Amino acid sequence: MRLCPDDPEADWTLPGIYEVDAGLYRIPLPLPSDGLRAVNVYAVRDGDGLVMVDSGWALAQARELLEQAVKLLGSGLGEVRRFLVTHVHRDHYTMAVAVRREFGTRVALGRGEAGTLRLARAGTLSAGLLSQLRRGGAADLGREVQFIRESIDPADWADPDDWLDAPEDIELETVTWQAYPTPGHTRGHVVFVDASRNVMFAGDHVLPRITPSIGFEQNAAELPLRDYLDSLALVRRLPDRLLLPAHGPVSPSVHVRVDELIDHHDTRLRRTEEAIAARPGTAADAARRLRWTRRERKFDELDLLSKCLAVTETLAHLDVLVAAGRLRRTDSDGTRYYDVG
Ligand SMILES: [Zn+2]
């Protein structure tokens, strides 16, 4: 591994350590799923130590690459002072907890993730997802998905040292960052701003090439898509900055991408409304009539996990349409049915 300048045109998933700005590095770590191939961890020099944004999934191969990367900065993992984690998902949070077990590194996470962590520790993670799928009219998918095994050490779901109550200032040794609350992808998602460098560490809130899943949470909010759209609006009101995403290449403008994401969800809301106008039914019914991914695939062509994501995503859009008075909802036996009213 070598330390190279970051090239946003190159394959962003290639293992290595890339300098984005003086003292600011991007370290992509591999993920085992074929959907998302990597997660970016960012390392920032702070005095004589390092601060990390997000941490990766606690897997042996990722751990090895993180160690090599940190070594090129003249440090060991033990010299990482803090992990600031954008959200509770395993590809962002679990490595921080694993490293803390060895070195006592401080870990910070948004307080909104507390409920999800509690459920994860109790081993009841899937119960919330199953009732969500039932709500979406996809109890059949729920039965299939129960057999997917989680390769997570329950110890990796320990609480952080610091619960972030964003918006709040984060005092590092040489600079003060801001954490902003951006619920939607998860309930406790936060983004970090380093105004001195004019950058935003956006986690999964603003991704340059894909849209984050909405509403696929064990501990789902009542209106996750409304939360997400509000969080996009919040970020849009801040000054425009360099986008440092957790998945995808570093991109020049947070605002440009936020505008695209808002457009995307406007279109999805309209198409979801049309699907129900054409034929009333559940989220799963509507999801089957919509097209998925950038390749416009049919629902039946998706793998099991993507089908689950499609149903909860559609549910999130339908519930925003109900809240806006554009559709009507009735509940029966834990399943939600939608019509134009
Ligand atoms: Zn992620």
Side-chain angles (χ1 to χ4, degrees):
M1 192 185 282
R2 283 186 311 134
L3 176 56
C4 311
D6 196 29
D7 173 9
E9 304 301 318
D11 178 357
W12 70 274
T13 66
L14 288 178
I17 175 162
Y18 304 96
E19 189 167 42
V20 175
D21 184 23
L24 163 58
Y25 310 91
R26 187 177 68 82
I27 306 168
L29 297 178
L31 298 178
S33 56
D34 27 288
L36 276 175
R37 288 183 298 142
V39 58
N40 289 321
V41 172
Y42 293 92
V44 182
R45 284 196 197 278
D46 182 37
D48 57 0
L50 289 173
V51 171
M52 298 272 190
V53 177
D54 286 328
S55 72
W57 185 336
L59 300 164
Q61 194 199 355
R63 161 71 188 246
E64 173 86 4
L65 288 168
L66 186 62
E67 246 164 13
Q68 282 180 33
V70 167
K71 202 167 159 198
L72 285 173
L73 300 179
S75 293
L77 274 183
E79 282 143 284
V80 175
R81 270 201 207 107
R82 299 183 77 178
F83 282 102
L84 302 174
V85 182
T86 58
H87 65 293
V88 72
H89 283 166
R90 58 194 176 183
D91 51 327
H92 300 255
Y93 186 63
T94 55
M95 180 83 85
V97 176
V99 169
R100 177 179 68 180
R101 268 202 300 279
E102 269 174 75
F103 300 106
T105 323
R106 289 192 78 77
V107 179
L109 184 70
R111 193 180 293 281
E113 307 292 43
T116 300
L117 270 180
R118 241 184 341 263
L119 288 175
R121 277 198 298 277
T124 52
L125 261 184
S126 53
L129 285 178
L130 296 184
S131 59
Q132 270 225 79
L133 289 169
R134 166 178 296 276
R135 218 173 285 149
D140 53 332
L141 293 180
R143 276 189 291 276
E144 283 181 62
V145 90
Q146 284 187 71
F147 297 105
I148 298 180
R149 290 253 168 267
E150 284 278 323
S151 57
I152 296 276
D153 182 344
D156 289 346
W157 294 125
D159 278 345
D161 305 278
D162 304 310
W163 287 115
L164 300 174
D165 289 304
E168 75 170 84
D169 284 353
I170 298 181
E171 307 284 346
L172 304 182
E173 198 173 290
T174 57
V175 67
T176 301
W177 287 7
Q178 282 76 44
Y180 291 96
T182 48
H185 177 56
T186 66
R187 292 179 76 158
H189 195 292
V190 295
V191 298
F192 301 104
V193 165
D194 179 347
S196 73
R197 292 181 187 274
N198 206 31
V199 298
M200 175 180 285
F201 300 91
D204 284 3
H205 179 50
V206 183
L207 297 170
R209 292 180 178 168
I210 54 175
T211 61
S213 68
I214 302 295
F216 191 63
E217 255 199 300
Q218 297 76 18
N219 181 35
E222 189 47 42
L223 284 172
L225 180 62
R226 188 168 71 187
D227 295 343
Y228 181 66
L229 295 173
D230 287 348
S231 297
L232 287 179
L234 178 143
V235 160
R236 188 63 173 81
R237 286 193 300 272
L238 300 174
D240 198 9
R241 297 197 157 94
L242 189 70
L243 170 62
L244 306 180
H247 309 282
V250 169
S251 304
S253 164
V254 171
H255 283 188
V256 165
R257 186 55 184 153
V258 165
D259 290 346
E260 289 170 0
L261 288 165
I262 291 171
D263 272 357
H264 164 82
H265 286 291
D266 273 350
T267 305
R268 290 305 285 187
L269 284 166
R270 207 175 52 245
R271 291 199 182 139
T272 307
E273 184 179 18
E274 285 163 5
I276 291 295
R279 200 183 318 154
T282 64
D285 295 331
R288 286 197 174 84
R289 270 175 258 135
L290 294 166
R291 287 288 185 273
W292 295 95
T293 80
R294 289 194 303 181
R295 278 167 287 169
E296 299 276 302
R297 295 166 74 192
K298 291 183 181 163
F299 184 83
D300 285 330
E301 297 165 4
L302 303 176
D303 63 32
L304 176 60
L305 186 64
S306 302
K307 282 179 182 164
C308 294
L309 289 166
V311 169
T312 51
E313 181 96 12
T314 307
L315 193 64
H317 283 82
L318 287 167
D319 287 335
V320 162
L321 290 165
V322 170
R326 287 161 66 176
L327 290 178
R328 188 177 64 173
R329 185 175 89 200
T330 49
D331 288 45
S332 166
D333 198 20
T335 299
R336 295 176 175 175
Y337 297 86
Y338 300 85
D339 61 49
V340 286

